[in-house]
Amino acid sequence: MVKKVAIIGAGISGLASIRSCLEEGLEPTCFEKGEDIGGLWKFSDHAEEGRASIYRSVFTNSSKEMTCFPDFPFPDDFPNFMHNSKLQEYITAFAKEKNLLRYIQLKTLVSSVNKRPDFSVTGQWDVITEKDGKKESAVFDAVMICSGHHVYPNLPKESFQGLQLFKGKCFHSWDYKEPGIFKGKRVLVIGLGNSGCDIASELSHTAEQVIVSSRSGSWVMSRVWHGGYPWDMMFITRFETFLNNNLPTVISDWWYVKQMNARFKHENYGLMPLNGTLRKEPVFNDELPARILCGTVTVKPNVKEFTETSAIFEDGTVFEAIDCVIFATGYSYAYPFLDDSIIKSRDNEVTLFKGIFPPSLEKPTMAVIGLVQSLGAVIPTTDLQSRWAVRVIKGTCTLPSVKDMMNDIDEKMGEKLKWFGKSNTIQTDYIVYMDELASFIGAKPNIPWLFLTDPKLALEVYFGPCSSYQFRLVGPGKWPGARNAILTQWDRTLKPTTTRIVGTPLKPCLFCSWFGPVLISVLSIAAFLVLF
């Protein structure tokens, strides 16, 4: 019997899961609450309850070569960083090319997912859906949750004394769409994440004054990295990850802070993180420093107290006559169709093996796809997650014992505390995580073997960008075009920017940026040996 799989959500994670099911001979049915595919990236001019929401001006933070499905490169002429409409165009093209649309039921809400009475034997689920006011129930052999983590706004009003007295408008960034209605207004944005910085920068062109309040600060990176190349193609490499994880901590931390401060000194702009060596996800914004320099955005510490018309900050300064407060304070994870104890199996925290499988289930027939967060792009991550998850559901791959999975979760929480400052964060080290998943299905590139058999490819794989194509070089789902895609990725990167030919386009030196810290490490070790 072919196993039937229910997939909840037709965004990026859902499409990756449908495709993975088809690759492994399973029968997927995808339920999407909205009127179209795309999830987060399907822009709507109004926020809808229970769905992700973006503002009109959103662009990707990951470049196209690092973002694409590993066997479906973006067209050559697509820009490296895309407006949300351009990414939605690509998502739709992918779904059509892979013939995924036929497996998707639009305008269909999943209202409940429950274990069948014989779950401990069959691993099956009862899934109840609603469409046009009618409820339907069906039995599935597995469930893949692909509903994302930008759906339920975190609005911590109780954390701000006096907010109930404030007479101006107050809402979450989830509701923000465009700047027009804020012309001439005085706006306070709370939160220094990607949304908060984007909204503050955009409003600064029309509002009278914009202030950003931040409790802990943040590194602000530009999409344009050294030499004018996309940041992630220079920053997310196997060589860089190796050095980050193996250099002496003091040198690794020094180099990380130096890289973050390369564009401007964050302490001079009030942006410096409280603990700058933590690898918390930075903000990507090309405009914010300039808006601060121009005086149209001001950065302040956390709000101590609100009055009817103003905010008093922890440094004692006051922002008067506020028209609007926008909370860019992130999102909560919620699965209203599911018993909380399945996902949050310990201390009311999300507890998932490798960020995917609930460890306490008697049968591994539920997977959460797309919940982890890293510097890497979402599409390659969900592609690899779903490939492994489907093979576990099919029985081709097996999970460790519950005890071993819980031990692994505890170990990873300790590592996260060290690197990110929080043990329960969904952040992870991109390349380490991707290699781990790839090794489970036999899709991890063998770097030493590549250097022996294909040194040209090996140099690009190890020292160049860790693009998604690397995870379709070998193993199940191997793509014959992966090698060529890797060797030509810089050509596609330079194509949309070299529209006025003034010479031969220059590709970057693959390992020049790390010459400095490596040399410093060698000299430090030599000095230590001489002195001691």
Side-chain angles (χ1 to χ4, degrees):
M1 293 288 290
V2 175
K3 289 190 175 182
K4 296 181 178 181
V5 182
I7 297 170
I8 304 173
I12 286 168
S13 301
L15 296 178
S17 297
I18 297 171
R19 198 266 286 269
S20 293
C21 284
L22 296 175
E23 286 183 326
E24 291 296 330
L26 306 186
E27 185 181 317
T29 301
C30 180
F31 302 105
E32 167 55 45
K33 180 181 179 181
E35 299 180 352
D36 200 355
I37 65 172
L40 174 71
W41 294 99
K42 177 59 180 176
F43 174 77
S44 172
D45 57 10
H46 63 281
E48 302 173 34
E49 186 177 352
R51 295 197 67 228
S53 176
I54 56 173
Y55 33 96
R56 190 179 298 276
S57 59
V58 165
F59 278 75
T60 61
N61 291 333
S62 298
S63 64
K64 67 177 184 179
E65 289 302 303
M66 302 293 279
T67 299
C68 67
F69 283 98
D71 59 346
F72 194 70
F74 282 91
D76 289 3
D77 59 348
F78 267 44
N80 283 288
F81 295 99
M82 288 158 286
H83 185 257
N84 61 82
S85 60
K86 210 69 175 172
L87 184 57
Q88 177 66 13
E89 180 184 333
Y90 169 81
I91 292 169
T92 302
F94 172 79
K96 290 179 178 178
E97 173 70 20
K98 302 299 180 182
N99 197 25
L100 307 181
L101 298 177
R102 58 185 291 197
Y103 300 97
I104 301 171
Q105 297 183 19
L106 299 174
K107 300 181 183 178
T108 304
L109 170 70
V110 174
S111 55
S112 72
V113 175
N114 293 296
K115 294 178 181 178
R116 298 269 296 164
D118 58 354
F119 180 84
S120 60
V121 177
T122 65
Q124 292 181 327
W125 301 85
D126 283 319
V127 177
I128 298 176
T129 58
E130 296 180 30
K131 184 174 184 178
D132 300 327
K134 296 179 181 179
K135 289 190 175 183
E136 288 188 10
S137 179
V139 177
F140 288 92
D141 298 297
V143 175
M144 300 179 77
I145 300 173
C146 306
S147 51
H149 55 90
H150 293 94
V151 177
Y152 301 100
N154 174 39
L155 194 56
K157 291 185 177 182
E158 67 284 350
S159 300
F160 295 92
Q161 183 180 341
L163 186 59
Q164 71 277 8
L165 304 173
F166 179 66
K167 292 185 175 181
K169 291 184 178 180
C170 182
F171 61 89
H172 193 274
S173 58
W174 179 79
D175 285 302
Y176 176 83
K177 291 298 175 180
E178 52 190 0
I181 61 173
F182 298 93
K183 184 176 182 180
K185 304 294 185 182
R186 294 168 62 81
V187 182
L188 172 62
V189 178
I190 295 180
L192 197 65
N194 282 306
S195 295
C197 290
D198 279 353
I199 292 170
S201 298
E202 184 169 72
L203 290 181
S204 70
H205 294 277
T206 55
E208 177 186 320
Q209 179 64 56
V210 177
I211 285 185
V212 179
S213 168
S214 174
R215 181 176 54 192
S216 56
S218 182
W219 293 119
V220 178
M221 290 176 65
S222 172
R223 293 176 177 86
V224 184
W225 203 240
H226 303 312
Y229 301 107
W231 76 271
D232 49 356
M233 295 189 74
M234 301 295 291
F235 197 79
I236 302 178
T237 74
R238 292 181 176 278
F239 183 53
E240 174 131 5
T241 296
F242 170 79
L243 292 177
N244 266 324
N245 293 332
N246 290 280
L247 284 175
T249 301
V250 64
I251 294 174
S252 177
D253 288 349
W254 167 81
W255 182 243
Y256 179 73
V257 172
K258 182 177 174 61
Q259 285 180 303
M260 294 298 103
N261 263 329
R263 184 177 167 212
F264 65 94
K265 303 299 180 186
H266 282 64
E267 50 266 59
N268 294 345
Y269 287 70
L271 298 169
M272 186 75 178
L274 292 180
N275 188 340
T277 60
L278 291 178
R279 273 36 170 202
K280 292 195 295 185
E281 185 181 14
V283 168
F284 293 93
N285 193 290
D286 303 295
E287 194 180 10
L288 183 63
R291 304 316 298 167
I292 295 173
L293 275 179
C294 293
T296 54
V297 173
T298 303
V299 181
K300 288 287 185 179
N302 199 32
V303 175
K304 178 183 178 182
E305 182 182 0
F306 281 96
T307 68
E308 291 184 351
T309 59
S310 63
I312 303 169
F313 301 101
E314 289 181 345
D315 62 359
T317 57
V318 181
F319 185 27
E320 300 277 6
I322 302 173
D323 295 296
C324 182
V325 177
I326 302 175
F327 284 88
T329 44
Y331 293 83
S332 303
Y333 323 129
Y335 304 100
F337 49 81
L338 189 68
D339 183 346
D340 258 1
S341 65
I342 293 176
I343 302 295
K344 299 179 179 179
S345 60
R346 186 176 65 181
D347 300 330
N348 202 35
E349 293 180 351
V350 173
T351 311
L352 299 170
F353 179 60
K354 305 305 179 188
I356 300 173
F357 287 102
S360 57
L361 288 178
E362 302 97 312
K363 297 287 184 179
T365 56
M366 174 171 283
V368 181
I369 306 299
L371 184 60
V372 302
Q373 191 168 301
S374 71
L375 277 181
V378 173
I379 290 178
T381 305
T382 57
D383 179 76
L384 203 44
Q385 283 184 321
S386 61
R387 288 164 67 191
W388 177 49
V390 165
R391 290 175 69 81
V392 170
I393 290 168
K394 186 179 178 181
T396 311
C397 295
T398 57
L399 297 181
S401 67
V402 173
K403 180 181 178 181
D404 287 344
M405 285 193 283
M406 293 306 298
N407 287 339
D408 182 85
I409 290 170
D410 289 337
E411 182 183 337
K412 292 295 188 293
M413 289 177 76
E415 293 173 3
K416 289 178 178 182
L417 183 64
K418 172 188 174 183
W419 287 105
F420 307 115
K422 292 182 179 179
S423 61
N424 61 345
T425 180
I426 60 173
Q427 277 189 266
T428 190
D429 185 318
Y430 178 67
I431 294 179
V432 172
Y433 181 71
M434 294 288 279
D435 274 351
E436 192 171 30
L437 296 187
S439 67
F440 295 154
I441 62 172
K444 179 184 175 182
N446 186 329
I447 306 300
W449 180 249
L450 274 182
F451 272 106
L452 289 173
T453 59
D454 194 343
K456 181 179 180 181
L457 177 63
L459 286 169
E460 194 68 40
V461 167
Y462 190 70
F463 293 105
C466 187
S467 49
S468 60
Y469 316 120
Q470 294 191 14
F471 302 101
R472 291 270 180 175
L473 279 169
V474 295
K478 175 182 176 180
W479 179 44
R483 181 183 187 276
N484 183 63
I486 292 170
L487 296 178
T488 57
Q489 57 194 355
W490 283 109
D491 297 326
R492 289 187 299 279
T493 299
L494 296 172
K495 176 72 180 294
T497 59
T498 52
T499 51
R500 174 176 171 260
I501 306 300
V502 292
T504 304
L506 299 176
K507 300 177 184 179
C509 172
L510 293 181
F511 44 83
C512 291
S513 62
W514 270 99
F515 179 77
V518 172
L519 179 62
I520 291 170
S521 299
V522 171
L523 292 176
S524 299
I525 293 170
F528 178 83
L529 293 174
V530 169
L531 293 173
F532 299 98

